[in-house]
Amino acid sequence: MASVSITSLRKFYGTHSVLHGVDVEIADGEFVILVGPSGCGKSTLLRMIAGLETISGGTLMIDDRIVNNVAAKERDIAMVFQTYALYPHMSVAENMGFSLKLAKCPKTEIDERVRQAADILALTALLERKPAQLSGGQRQRVAMGRAMVRNPKVFLFDEPLSNLDAKLRVQMRTEIKELHRRLGSTIVYVTHDQIEAMTMADRIVVMQGGYAQQIGRPLDIYDAPANTFVATFIGSPAMNLITGKIEYTDASGRLLCADGASISLDDPAIAAFAGETVTLGVRPEHLQLCAPGDLNAFTAEVTAVEPTGAETFVVMKHGGQEVTAVLRDRLAVEPGAHLELSIAKGKLHFFDAKTGLRLAP
Amino acid sequence: MEAAKPSSYLLYILPSAIGFVGIIIIPFILNIAASFTQWRGVGIPKFIGLANYARLLKDELVWEGFYHSLIFILSMAVIPTILGLILAALLFDYVAARFGKTTASFFRAGFYLPQILPLAVAGVLWGWIFSPIGVLNTTLKAWGLDFLARNWLGDPGTAMLCVMFVMVWLQLGYSLVIFMSGLARVDPALYEAAELDGATWFERFRYITVHMLKPELFVVGLTTTIAALNVFAPVFVLTKGGPNNATTVPSLLAYYHFFTTNRVGYGATITTMQTALTMLLAYVFVRLQSRDQ
Ligand SMILES: Nc1ncnc2c1ncn2[C@@H]1O[C@H](COP(=O)(O)OP(=O)(O)OP(=O)(O)O)[C@@H](O)[C@H]1O
Ligand SMILES: [Mg+2]
């Protein structure tokens, strides 16, 4: 096990910059997930940790050793690839034992360690099969087994679940989390699925456009996103963003939107923004139906209703901006109807309308 | 739409079937038939049973020819395949990664050049290089290595070595190009996984490349071995089988009997034997391959 320390890490492909200086401290035994939209540089960062991409700038330390120029095979890191990259001509057991064989481990020890890993991953019955004779989920487990057998300093995962169907994905999520608890290993895991990140990680690194936008524990990020990108990326459906001008008089305020629509706001925090244009953030589950004239309330026109069974997503328009509410109750409304909604107390987020950075609280 | 009757498909095969029968099957059968006769190419062939075959078994020159065939398998199939595989992996992993794809393509094209050069040109070229007053001897003498200079193609001791060298030069590009296109098909993640598993370049070559290129290895191995058993033109332009039959091969002997001594029946016997050996070898290859899958 080991810690990983990433300082101002940069990556250029030719003159094209894809990582513009990323800083992440990963503690020994921590499960860190890099999450972000496609093309944001997650895989690049992961592959730089692995030693599969050269480092253009900054430093990468594993434990207390700078490994910028250390070859991949000297870093003692195991990686589970998105396509699994199992050796097609080797059996499951040979795949898992390959690294030990290269390390000239005695045959009996290889067998023993492969057997142990196979036990944990429920692969014992499949050890003699070739990868082509396995299901997607089984291949995924073999790829993890190949990493486990080595007992490496750090485990890297690059979107390991993206080729599995939804149900298996949920199951493997639990298994990987359980595995981490059991092995206590340091894991860096890449995904573009924010739910995977939220459910599995000790800490999340939200990336976008080659920057780490925010680093923190899942619920901390959820409760206090650092900017509008993180606010809308983490959480599903995404956080509502409503831009308008704050009016504040006599301890009561409101957000005045572009076409005259407004939201009454009962929150002392807004005093600080009086007269300013801000972006108000509201999580869909913090909107509830209410009577006209309630505090923190506004009227919106329904454009779509999406029942999921447990909850109902209601998509609406308010002052020309889209607002989504997640309601616990089933609701029989047609598009075109008007609903009166209020925002739960203390659940307002404020962002700078220009920079998108979090203002308060 | 109604599916056409299978028999109507035969119509589409007909044009090439006519060509195949006319150019391959009929001459092949006639050749076998001729091998049981004494015939000077004109007049009526005289049936003599297995006499030609009996003679063939005792013909030391034929045995020497088949022995040379083994040497040609070495220099046209074995060495170019192994060398081509290693070179392809080096160009792919090392040169392309270090110096860019263009540099790798340049080398690949360079190694392939002998394949597109007309054989007659290549023969003349190497003839000049190896001639007693050729480039090789001139260079050796310029370096003060006079004692090494000799009549390379005229000396029975070195002629075969020279021909072998030219054959490797000739064949290398073929296997190299096929292996490089095969390498492009292999999932790069396999190499990365192996690298993280601690494999050195040679271990990746040995445990990944060789296995992933098995289909290409079979194809290259089979086609080059067949080419080696049937080799004619390169030897003809370089040495004509000489000096003193030091480089002769079955095809050259058959040619000699057909056209120089007009013993057409006997020439046919040699080519029939050659065909039988080639087919046997192809059969073994295909069996090996299907067993491997
Ligand atoms: N070899 C390369 N040459 C040039 N640009 C590259 C190269 N590899 C990646 N990039 C660029 O670097 C950026 C980051 O790529 P990366 O693969 O890290 O994205 P990602 O976050 O993993 O996306 P995804 O979720 O789609 O896998 C992308 O804009 C991509 O176009
Ligand atoms: Mg990626």
Side-chain angles (χ1 to χ4, degrees):
Chain A
M1 299 308 115
S3 60
V4 178
S5 163
I6 297 165
T7 318
S8 335
L9 210 64
R10 286 167 180 281
K11 179 67 187 176
F12 290 95
Y13 285 112
T15 55
H16 173 62
S17 173
V18 280
L19 288 181
H20 320 295
V22 174
D23 297 275
V24 189
E25 289 294 332
I26 298 166
D28 188 7
E30 203 176 15
F31 192 155
V32 168
I33 293 191
L34 311 178
V35 67
S38 188
C40 69
K42 312 177 290 289
S43 297
T44 305
L45 180 54
L46 195 76
R47 293 166 56 80
M48 284 162 82
I49 299 175
L52 298 172
E53 296 284 351
T54 56
I55 293 173
S56 316
T59 50
L60 172 69
M61 299 212 300
I62 295 176
D63 281 334
D64 293 325
R65 178 177 174 216
I66 294 178
V67 293
N68 282 32
N69 296 316
V70 175
K73 69 191 191 70
E74 311 292 340
R75 290 190 193 185
D76 196 9
I77 279 177
M79 182 156 166
V80 175
F81 292 81
Q82 183 173 357
T83 53
Y84 313 139
L86 300 177
Y87 311 122
H89 54 286
M90 297 185 199
S91 69
V92 168
E94 286 167 338
N95 261 284
M96 286 167 64
F98 186 57
S99 58
L100 300 178
K101 178 176 164 187
L102 293 176
K104 309 264 187 300
C105 229
K107 181 94 173 61
T108 49
E109 192 188 334
I110 298 179
D111 289 346
E112 175 60 19
R113 280 163 74 171
V114 167
R115 203 187 49 72
Q116 275 176 6
D119 254 6
I120 296 174
L121 295 165
L123 289 169
T124 313
L126 307 174
L127 283 175
E128 294 314 313
R129 298 230 194 135
K130 293 275 170 68
Q133 301 162 318
L134 300 176
S135 75
Q138 290 165 342
R139 281 180 213 176
Q140 210 282 327
R141 281 209 290 270
V142 175
M144 294 207 303
R146 186 168 66 180
M148 271 167 59
V149 160
R150 282 178 47 193
N151 198 11
K153 284 193 172 147
V154 183
F155 284 93
L156 306 178
F157 289 82
D158 193 356
E159 308 213 18
L161 306 186
S162 58
N163 289 337
L164 304 181
D165 66 52
K167 193 159 173 239
L168 200 53
R169 204 144 58 206
V170 174
Q171 184 194 332
M172 289 308 300
R173 225 149 67 189
T174 322
E175 281 187 26
I176 293 177
K177 204 171 167 180
E178 161 67 16
L179 203 67
H180 173 247
R181 203 188 51 75
R182 200 166 159 167
L183 302 176
S185 38
T186 311
I187 296 182
V188 186
Y189 184 110
V190 161
T191 179
H192 60 261
D193 179 350
Q194 52 96 16
I195 298 192
E196 245 171 62
M198 290 296 289
T199 52
M200 293 163 72
D202 291 333
R203 274 194 312 147
I204 295 179
V205 178
V206 185
M207 295 184 61
Q208 190 218 2
Y211 291 100
Q213 299 286 354
Q214 188 171 9
I215 303 175
R217 287 184 301 190
L219 290 180
D220 292 348
I221 291 184
Y222 191 81
D223 291 340
N227 54 42
T228 50
F229 170 77
V230 178
T232 50
F233 190 79
I234 299 288
S236 172
M239 182 188 274
N240 297 300
L241 296 178
I242 308 163
T243 302
K245 192 168 171 185
I246 298 281
E247 288 190 348
Y248 190 77
T249 45
D250 304 335
S252 88
R254 58 186 190 140
L255 182 78
L256 202 61
C257 301
D259 59 356
S262 72
I263 301 174
S264 74
L265 294 175
D266 174 39
D267 193 323
I270 68 166
F273 315 126
E276 284 178 41
T277 301
V278 299
T279 298
L280 177 71
V282 181
R283 294 257 175 228
E285 68 272 25
H286 295 145
L287 288 173
Q288 61 232 358
L289 294 174
C290 69
D294 270 9
L295 290 170
N296 284 358
F298 61 96
T299 311
E301 186 189 334
V302 175
T303 54
V305 180
E306 300 167 351
T308 65
E311 298 162 327
T312 309
F313 297 176
V314 187
V315 185
M316 295 160 290
K317 274 246 162 357
H318 170 265
Q321 302 180 75
E322 197 177 275
V323 178
T324 304
V326 173
L327 304 175
R328 299 301 312 253
D329 303 310
R330 299 199 176 171
L331 192 70
V333 288
E334 293 297 319
H338 285 80
L339 291 180
E340 196 71 21
L341 295 160
S342 72
I343 304 166
K345 206 165 171 11
K347 300 295 186 186
L348 297 175
H349 303 260
F350 293 96
F351 302 98
D352 189 309
K354 285 206 190 64
T355 62
L357 292 179
R358 182 179 193 81
L359 295 170
Chain B
M1 213 176 77
E2 202 185 326
K5 277 203 300 278
S7 60
S8 68
Y9 291 129
L10 290 175
L11 211 60
Y12 294 93
I13 303 177
L14 200 61
S16 49
I18 290 174
F20 182 65
V21 170
I23 296 172
I24 309 253
I25 296 289
I26 292 177
F28 180 63
I29 292 170
L30 287 180
N31 185 65
I32 294 176
S35 74
F36 297 109
T37 65
Q38 192 178 38
W39 188 33
R40 305 206 67 84
V42 287
I44 313 274
K46 183 176 140 209
F47 181 76
I48 54 165
L50 290 172
N52 280 333
Y53 288 89
R55 173 175 169 188
L56 182 116
L57 289 179
K58 279 184 275 175
D59 188 339
E60 275 181 26
L61 214 51
V62 168
W63 284 105
E64 199 175 333
F66 279 117
Y67 167 70
H68 290 156
S69 283
L70 291 181
I71 295 179
F72 275 91
I73 290 178
L74 189 70
S75 61
M76 287 178 71
V78 180
I79 295 175
T81 302
I82 294 172
L83 213 58
L85 189 62
I86 295 173
L87 267 175
L90 272 177
L91 283 180
F92 200 85
D93 296 344
Y94 188 76
V95 177
R98 217 26 96 78
F99 305 101
K101 287 210 163 58
T102 326
T103 317
S105 301
F106 172 78
F107 278 110
R108 186 182 52 187
F111 282 113
Y112 195 69
L113 197 63
Q115 287 276 314
I116 49 174
L117 217 58
L119 258 180
V121 176
V124 170
L125 182 81
W126 284 101
W128 280 345
I129 292 176
F130 287 132
S131 113
I133 50 163
V135 177
L136 185 56
N137 279 345
T138 315
T139 311
L140 285 172
K141 282 175 187 154
W143 288 344
L145 298 169
D146 297 55
F147 62 97
L148 281 178
R150 68 197 64 213
N151 183 358
W152 294 95
L153 289 174
D155 181 341
T158 53
M160 189 48 124
L161 276 177
C162 293
V163 173
M164 284 177 76
F165 181 83
V166 175
M167 293 322 295
V168 172
W169 172 83
L170 203 60
Q171 289 288 93
L172 191 56
Y174 170 70
S175 56
L176 181 79
V177 163
I178 291 186
F179 290 143
M180 279 191 83
S181 71
L183 282 170
R185 176 179 56 83
V186 179
D187 180 4
L190 284 184
Y191 289 103
E192 294 177 343
E195 201 176 334
L196 290 175
D197 271 345
T200 59
W201 181 85
F202 183 73
E203 283 165 336
R204 292 199 294 275
F205 175 78
R206 175 173 161 203
Y207 291 113
I208 313 279
T209 307
V210 172
H211 291 275
M212 299 315 289
L213 290 189
K214 260 190 188 159
E216 282 82 3
L217 274 165
F218 269 114
V219 168
V220 169
L222 180 61
T223 51
T224 53
T225 306
I226 289 177
L229 285 176
N230 298 336
V231 66
F232 175 80
V235 187
F236 188 78
V237 296
L238 279 171
T239 62
K240 293 201 167 56
N244 196 15
N245 292 319
T247 58
T248 198
V249 285
S251 296
L252 272 173
L253 290 173
Y255 173 87
Y256 168 77
H257 287 294
F258 257 102
F259 297 108
T260 313
T261 63
N262 287 356
R263 289 192 206 102
V264 172
Y266 189 55
T269 310
I270 296 175
T271 51
T272 304
M273 277 302 288
Q274 211 183 341
T275 311
L277 275 177
T278 309
M279 285 167 90
L280 181 76
L281 203 100
Y283 175 77
V284 170
F285 256 98
V286 172
R287 278 306 294 269
L288 277 178
Q289 183 178 23
S290 57
R291 203 187 59 185
D292 194 67
Q293 288 157 354

